[in-house]
Amino acid sequence: MHGSAAPRGALHDPKRQLIVRHAREHFVREGYAATRIEPIAREAGVSTATLYTLFRSKAALFTAVIDDAAEEFTRQMARVRAVEGDARSTLTSFADAYAAFMGDPFVRSVFRLVVAERPRFQAVARRFFEKGRTEFGATLIGVIVRLSKAGALRPIEHPSWAAGHLMGMVEHPVFFVPLVTGDEVRVRRTNAEVVAEAVETFLARYGA
């Protein structure tokens, strides 16, 4: 079991948060196996003994780092909302915010870390991915259902499938291509161009 098992009050302890922040930098830069505890403790201004009091093992610290990143993503996702308006403007506002989030290099670096360590931390990785899917997917499904009921989109039997279509058209160029190539290959289209094409394709398929 890899959980940090921190008491509820300890989750917001400034010392704990400082350790997690420095640990995240090390894990992202060096990977799990190469990361050492001593430099993290030194940079956070605590003793190794204090670090191990808060996190009983490197595995527990890694779990805390990923869970903290997921919570940070949730706070960012909370700002991904669609404006009220016609179908095009509403879907574009959502897709713009989604592309900005998925195109963030920090987001990619954490996803890359989770993917790399998934065999060792399967439960942690599953929790991380499911959280993101639920947060974004639920928001867009709600938008699609509302637009469909208003007649701005045709009746859609499976709103979750439709949401997946739009998100997938945004994810592939702004997130997955740089993710799997280590940022060495970048799509030439801007986020705005990716979004405009995705929304146009979506409306051609689902527009009223």
Side-chain angles (χ1 to χ4, degrees), residues 138-168:
T139 297
L140 184 53
I141 289 169
V143 168
I144 289 171
V145 169
R146 174 170 58 79
L147 290 172
S148 183
K149 288 181 176 178
L153 297 176
R154 68 174 180 78
I156 298 175
E157 183 178 358
H158 300 290
S160 61
W161 296 2
H165 292 165
L166 180 58
M167 293 170 71

Side-chain angles (χ1 to χ4, degrees), residues 174-185:
V174 306
F175 176 73
F176 284 110
V177 170
L179 179 73
V180 301
T181 62
D183 293 323
E184 294 176 5
V185 176

Side-chain angles (χ1 to χ4, degrees), residues 54-69:
L54 294 169
F55 307 95
R56 64 178 179 271
S57 65
K58 185 165 77 168
L61 178 56
F62 181 84
T63 298
V65 165
I66 300 306
D67 286 344
D68 180 75

Side-chain angles (χ1 to χ4, degrees), residues 9-56:
L11 294 177
H12 302 292
D13 175 14
K15 187 181 299 183
R16 184 181 190 278
Q17 292 178 323
L18 187 61
I19 292 169
V20 168
R21 187 167 73 245
H22 284 288
R24 183 167 69 187
E25 294 173 359
H26 279 267
F27 284 128
V28 166
R29 184 173 62 247
E30 302 160 14
Y32 178 82
T35 293
R36 296 170 55 245
I37 292 296
E38 291 77 9
I40 295 171
R42 185 168 57 251
E43 291 169 18
V46 301
S47 68
T48 303
T50 296
L51 188 150
Y52 276 120
T53 298
L54 294 169
F55 307 95
R56 64 178 179 271

